[in-house]
Amino acid sequence: MPSIKVHKPGLCTTIQDIGRIGYQQFGIPVSGVMDEFSFTVANYLVESDKNNAVLEIPFLGPTLEFDFDVTIAITGADIQPKINNQDIKMWQSINIKKRDILSFGSLKTGIRTYLAFSAEIDVPIVMGSKSTLLKSKLGGFEGRQLKMGDIINFKNIKILSKKNILDKKYIPEYKHNQNIRIILGPQDNYFDENSIKTMLENKYQVTKDADRMGMRLSGEVIKHKDKADIISDAAVFGSIQVPGNGQPIILLADRQTTGGYTKIATVMKADLPKLAQMLPNDIIEFSLVNIEEAQKEYKEFYKILDKIKESFLVKPKVYTEKQLYVMKKLFGNRRK
């Protein structure tokens, strides 16, 4: 069976797709990719289904040997990818040959890289997803991160006959200082105006306690009117909890399904990929938007992804009237 052998696993390489939708009521986290933009574009570059499972690679990349021909694309954080020790470009499709070795250098920008294939990773679908949930040992490759010697099997392989390259205007810039837009709630009534003002007028630093579950921040204390605890209710990707110490925590892909801390605000959908690429010590400044603005940006986020997908489709050549007239003169009277 076509496969990839893992010579070096990287720091925490896992198989991910968009996640397990519809199971939070049973206590099953959604999980899935951290950076939906990079994930989706990677799949579009290799002309795979938008939810085709990929490898999510944080910090330090793996070394992988291919035993079959396939097309790949690498997006997200720049970990200096190489084929057979030769640098290759990101944000475009690349044809891989049997016995080629893919490796990575040191991290330059961002934190999470996505490796997509014009093939399907052959692992079980668990509750509608191939995503790895490490804390529950669920999904992915045996419910864990990759390790040396693993053999990853593939099926439904195709090889692209043309190269797809993402227009530079769509390639995100990963900054160490990010403006993150938020919508207040659902428990903003647990905070007074001064507390909300504190959050909006100060900078917060990403601490080393940041992983796929959540991102702890440090900065000015956000005070509660009374208490930090609530009856547990639903948590979403981007929920900003404020526990008793007043230091915000942003919940991410592997978050728990419910939480008992007050949630002062929620990061809007379009800014979640920014969060996914932030490193410890990076700085966040929050800015407030209303629900209408957030919905508008939500639609724009997917509109851009649709434009990117369309840009890779083969389009019939359009001729001008003059060109058609000349072609008719040249070829119109020819017979077989």
Side-chain angles (χ1 to χ4, degrees), residues 156-317:
N156 298 329
I157 300 156
K158 61 183 179 182
I159 301 171
L160 271 58
S161 59
K162 65 181 180 68
K163 181 180 284 290
N164 291 322
I165 302 174
L166 183 65
D167 191 315
K168 289 182 180 179
K169 69 182 179 183
Y170 294 123
I171 297 176
E173 182 182 359
Y174 302 129
K175 301 176 182 178
H176 294 296
N177 292 268
Q178 291 281 18
N179 177 265
I180 299 297
R181 292 166 291 179
I182 59 173
I183 306 98
L184 288 179
Q187 284 95 36
D188 53 303
N189 59 314
Y190 277 64
F191 305 85
D192 60 27
E193 287 185 12
N194 286 331
S195 295
I196 293 171
K197 188 176 179 181
T198 295
M199 183 179 185
L200 295 174
E201 292 185 353
N202 289 279
K203 298 179 181 180
Y204 288 84
Q205 187 174 49
V206 179
T207 71
K208 61 180 177 59
D209 295 320
D211 56 21
R212 284 179 49 86
M213 285 187 66
M215 177 184 288
R216 289 183 181 271
L217 307 180
S218 65
E220 290 294 320
V221 171
I222 302 171
K223 296 180 180 179
H224 301 81
K225 285 182 182 178
D226 182 17
K227 58 183 180 178
D229 297 331
I230 58 171
I231 296 173
S232 290
D233 68 354
V236 301
F237 195 163
S239 289
I240 305 176
Q241 291 183 333
V242 183
N245 65 4
Q247 298 297 299
I249 303 169
I250 307 178
L251 302 183
L252 304 175
D254 284 357
R255 68 198 176 277
Q256 67 273 23
T257 58
T258 61
Y261 290 133
T262 48
K263 295 179 285 295
I264 190 171
T266 306
V267 177
M268 72 179 204
K269 174 77 172 185
D271 281 2
L272 294 178
K274 291 184 188 179
L275 280 180
Q277 296 294 350
M278 296 193 77
L279 291 152
N281 299 322
D282 283 355
I283 300 297
I284 290 176
E285 292 182 73
F286 294 108
S287 61
L288 188 63
V289 297
N290 58 39
I291 191 68
E292 290 78 18
E293 291 173 296
Q295 289 171 339
K296 181 180 177 181
E297 291 297 322
Y298 177 95
K299 292 176 182 178
E300 183 64 20
F301 178 79
Y302 287 107
K303 186 177 178 180
I304 289 172
L305 286 174
D306 287 342
K307 286 181 180 179
I308 290 171
K309 181 179 181 179
E310 289 170 7
S311 72
F312 301 142
L313 298 176
V314 178
K315 298 180 179 66
K317 189 169 182 179

Side-chain angles (χ1 to χ4, degrees), residues 148-160:
M148 186 183 299
D150 283 344
I151 303 293
I152 307 169
N153 294 324
F154 286 79
K155 61 183 181 180
N156 298 329
I157 300 156
K158 61 183 179 182
I159 301 171
L160 271 58

Side-chain angles (χ1 to χ4, degrees), residues 88-196:
I88 57 172
K89 293 183 178 180
M90 298 179 59
W91 303 96
Q92 65 179 42
S93 61
I94 297 168
N95 285 338
I96 293 284
K97 299 294 183 183
K98 184 176 181 179
R99 287 188 281 277
D100 278 350
I101 294 179
L102 172 65
S103 60
F104 296 85
S106 57
L107 181 68
K108 291 183 70 177
T109 61
I111 186 175
R112 292 179 174 88
T113 300
Y114 293 87
L115 172 58
F117 310 88
S118 62
E120 295 178 33
I121 300 175
D122 192 11
V123 295
I125 297 173
V126 181
M127 299 178 190
S129 173
K130 295 182 180 180
S131 285
T132 311
L133 181 59
L134 292 172
K135 65 179 179 179
S136 301
K137 298 181 180 180
L138 185 71
F141 190 93
E142 299 177 0
R144 59 172 172 79
Q145 65 194 58
L146 300 185
K147 64 183 181 181
M148 186 183 299
D150 283 344
I151 303 293
I152 307 169
N153 294 324
F154 286 79
K155 61 183 181 180
N156 298 329
I157 300 156
K158 61 183 179 182
I159 301 171
L160 271 58
S161 59
K162 65 181 180 68
K163 181 180 284 290
N164 291 322
I165 302 174
L166 183 65
D167 191 315
K168 289 182 180 179
K169 69 182 179 183
Y170 294 123
I171 297 176
E173 182 182 359
Y174 302 129
K175 301 176 182 178
H176 294 296
N177 292 268
Q178 291 281 18
N179 177 265
I180 299 297
R181 292 166 291 179
I182 59 173
I183 306 98
L184 288 179
Q187 284 95 36
D188 53 303
N189 59 314
Y190 277 64
F191 305 85
D192 60 27
E193 287 185 12
N194 286 331
S195 295
I196 293 171

